[in-house]
Amino acid sequence: MIIDMHCDTVSEIRHRSGKKGEACGLRENALHIDARRLRENGYLLQCFALFVSLRGCGAIQGETAQEQGERQPDKAWAEVQELYRVYRQEMENCADLLHPVEKAGDLEQCRQTGKVGALLTVEEGGVCGGNPARLEKLYDMGVRMLTLTWNFPNELGWPNINALDPGRGYGSLFQADAERGLTETGRDFVSRMEELGMLADVSHLSDRGFWDVVEISQRPFVASHSNARAVCPCVRNLTDGMIRALAQRGGVMGLNFCADFLRTVPEGEHNPGRLEDIVAHARHICKVGGEDCLGLGSDFDGIDTNEELPGAQAMGDLWEALRRGGFTERQLDKIFQDNVLRVLGGIL
């Protein structure tokens, strides 16, 4: 069975069907993920992110009035509500294949019925605008994981890849932010999320922000789609010290299939994506943090296609590549489902 902690499929469906006018839905499509392939390829649970880019919402902390134009502080919130509407509609259309997961009993029902669980997450803490009432509303909507930042600073904290930094470009992938972390509001949000039963997700968060979460959190947290920086120096990946700290807290990190987070190539050179690179990250993470801290976080439909792992239909190829790379079946079961199940059990 397979559990994947992160995909951007809902946002991509909205983009294609709403903004580009294409026929695109969750049941069956030409994207990386659809409901049919999830069920046919042995998925137990797929986490579906509602991804919002603050750039398109005029709600980015740190921009000047001239850069931002007319500020629309509620546009990001309206966007996540629209994505939620799309998600609910697609879930209704796929009710024979998917089942929403908000509590432990929902997962058990998935096992009994053979349906694939769908767990709702939000990628961009800035949709809340720093308002804790909106965080609680997200929980009521069924959201069980919140990625604290994306690539823009927000009311909660700072990202590692900051699209507002001057001179941003290829080099920004390798320049971590060790100075700016969580705001006081962000610290309060992490504590409130633990009280509610919502996972804090540190993927995209700055290095300083990661250590702020370690300092204030009392329960496991996740890096839903991040790899090992020692293997690929992109700052979207975790350092060895971060991997150890995450493991010691009982958390889990998800292997991200984005080629540029797996291996560096010269600027301008095509990076196709290779299974051997994913295996190298998995080996390193387990060596540093132990076999209990690793899961899957594909980032499907939020990344360019990994040529050797092009979608949900290819997950069996990943299993075989890891097996050939020396992982036992017990270890593979942990990576593909058990480790994430353990962490989810603490909130569901």
Side-chain angles (χ1 to χ4, degrees):
M1 303 295 284
I2 300 167
I3 296 179
D4 178 7
M5 286 196 289
H6 186 83
C7 76
D8 290 304
T9 309
V10 173
S11 299
E12 186 64 14
I13 287 172
R14 177 171 185 254
H15 174 70
R16 295 198 180 203
S17 60
K19 298 182 179 180
K20 297 179 70 174
E22 299 177 8
C24 185
L26 187 55
R27 172 173 288 275
E28 192 166 355
N29 57 52
L31 305 178
H32 296 153
I33 281 177
D34 61 33
R36 178 186 60 79
R37 280 178 286 158
L38 291 177
R39 185 167 181 177
E40 290 179 354
N41 288 277
Y43 278 70
L44 174 63
L45 179 72
Q46 176 65 57
C47 295
F48 287 99
L50 307 182
F51 163 65
V52 174
S53 171
L54 296 184
R55 171 68 75 184
C57 296
I60 304 172
Q61 178 177 311
E63 282 191 311
T64 67
Q66 181 177 0
E67 289 172 324
Q68 194 173 82
E70 182 181 356
R71 185 170 173 82
Q72 297 176 297
D74 292 330
K75 195 172 180 182
W77 182 249
E79 176 70 8
V80 83
Q81 295 300 313
E82 173 59 20
L83 286 167
Y84 178 67
R85 184 196 65 77
V86 172
Y87 170 77
R88 295 304 309 177
Q89 182 63 57
E90 294 299 330
M91 289 297 293
E92 290 180 14
N93 294 341
C94 300
D96 57 325
L97 299 173
L98 304 178
H99 182 77
V101 172
E102 299 178 10
K103 56 186 183 300
D106 294 328
L107 266 178
E108 183 56 35
Q109 185 170 346
C110 290
R111 291 189 181 95
Q112 293 176 1
T113 62
K115 294 182 181 181
V116 178
L119 188 140
L120 190 61
T121 79
V122 168
E123 185 176 27
E124 178 50 84
V127 302
C128 294
N131 185 345
R134 287 183 171 176
L135 177 67
E136 295 181 13
K137 173 62 175 177
L138 291 179
Y139 182 85
D140 291 341
M141 289 160 53
V143 174
R144 294 297 180 264
M145 183 194 304
L146 178 70
T147 310
L148 297 170
T149 67
W150 188 58
N151 291 343
F152 299 105
N154 61 32
E155 294 83 359
L156 307 185
W158 295 81
N160 247 352
I161 298 176
N162 183 355
L164 296 184
D165 279 346
R168 58 188 178 270
Y170 187 75
S172 67
L173 294 175
F174 310 104
Q175 299 168 3
D177 190 339
E179 302 299 325
R180 299 173 296 187
L182 293 182
T183 64
E184 286 304 313
T185 298
R187 296 169 75 91
D188 291 342
F189 261 57
V190 171
S191 296
R192 182 57 181 144
M193 288 165 66
E194 291 189 339
E195 293 172 358
L196 288 170
M198 185 186 296
L199 285 170
D201 178 12
V202 299
S203 286
H204 289 282
L205 191 60
S206 69
D207 281 17
R208 177 65 261 171
F210 175 95
W211 293 110
D212 288 340
V213 173
V214 172
E215 177 187 338
I216 64 177
S217 63
Q218 301 298 314
R219 303 179 66 178
F221 59 93
V222 301
S224 68
H225 53 304
S226 296
N227 298 323
R229 203 177 301 177
V231 179
C232 175
C234 174
V235 296
R236 273 286 285 104
N237 296 333
L238 303 187
T239 67
D240 286 0
M242 292 174 177
I243 294 170
R244 293 188 191 97
L246 180 75
Q248 290 167 0
R249 189 54 55 84
V252 65
M253 58 190 292
L255 289 167
N256 188 318
F257 304 159
C258 176
D260 288 336
F261 303 160
L262 292 169
R263 179 174 67 106
T264 57
V265 298
E267 185 174 3
E269 181 178 312
H270 176 57
N271 194 354
R274 307 182 307 183
L275 284 168
E276 66 184 271
D277 298 325
I278 301 177
V279 174
H281 281 271
R283 283 174 171 166
H284 184 84
I285 292 166
C286 288
K287 178 180 178 181
V288 171
E291 61 188 39
D292 294 332
C293 76
L294 184 59
L296 303 176
S298 68
D299 212 358
F300 276 150
D301 293 316
I303 58 174
D304 292 336
T305 299
N306 184 310
E307 293 182 9
E308 292 193 0
L309 197 55
Q313 71 278 8
M315 294 299 285
D317 295 336
L318 177 59
W319 176 284
E320 283 301 312
L322 290 167
R323 185 188 62 78
R324 291 194 303 270
F327 286 88
T328 67
E329 187 166 338
R330 177 183 59 83
Q331 290 172 323
L332 289 172
D333 283 340
K334 287 186 174 186
I335 294 169
F336 275 71
Q337 66 165 359
D338 293 345
N339 291 336
V340 178
L341 273 179
R342 184 195 73 248
V343 175
L344 288 177
I347 66 163
L348 296 179

